Amino acid sequence: MAPTLANGKICYIEIPAADIAKAAEFYAAVFGWRIRTRGDGATAFDDATGEVSGTWVTGRPTSGQPGLLVYIMVDSVAATIDAVVTHGGTVVQPMGADAPEITARFRDPAGNVIGLYQEPAR
């Protein structure tokens, strides 16, 4: 299924990482992102829905402090936190800090802070 094309849609993300292979392995293991090699040889990803794609970039500082903060939707924040830690990430804001919203924040192995979000009905 082709991604939805619409004016204003977030469609592409560049994630800073010094070790692209390690970053790709982390996001594939934790979130099920599909990792692929682009035509130019760069490592890229498609999210679990196939709606958002992106790549990892070197030579750019990681986002270690929340400024613009991206949240990834998950079925279970608690289970995802376990997977994050298992695969080399660290929790920087535990679940419950944004109650009643079900969220948490983690630092990926490269040092980027990313949010997790769980729909209340899930």
Side-chain angles (χ1 to χ4, degrees), residues 20-46:
I20 290 175
K22 184 176 180 179
E25 182 180 300
F26 174 83
Y27 284 91
V30 175
F31 300 108
W33 290 4
R34 186 175 69 88
I35 308 305
R36 59 185 166 78
T37 302
R38 294 190 322 210
D40 65 0
T43 301
F45 66 84
D46 296 301

Side-chain angles (χ1 to χ4, degrees), residues 4-113:
T4 304
L5 303 178
N7 185 55
K9 177 185 186 250
I10 294 173
C11 64
Y12 196 79
I13 300 172
E14 293 180 342
I15 303 173
D19 185 335
I20 290 175
K22 184 176 180 179
E25 182 180 300
F26 174 83
Y27 284 91
V30 175
F31 300 108
W33 290 4
R34 186 175 69 88
I35 308 305
R36 59 185 166 78
T37 302
R38 294 190 322 210
D40 65 0
T43 301
F45 66 84
D46 296 301
D47 77 349
T49 69
E51 289 282 321
V52 179
S53 63
T55 192
W56 290 274
V57 295
T58 59
R60 189 181 297 169
T62 58
S63 299
Q65 295 297 320
L68 173 64
L69 185 58
V70 174
Y71 281 79
I72 300 171
M73 185 175 284
V74 296
D75 290 332
S76 167
V77 168
T80 304
I81 287 172
D82 289 343
V84 162
V85 172
T86 296
H87 293 284
T90 57
V91 176
V92 298
Q93 178 182 298
M95 192 168 76
D98 293 325
E101 298 295 335
I102 306 169
T103 66
R105 294 179 190 168
F106 69 92
R107 183 170 282 114
D108 72 9
N112 298 294
V113 173

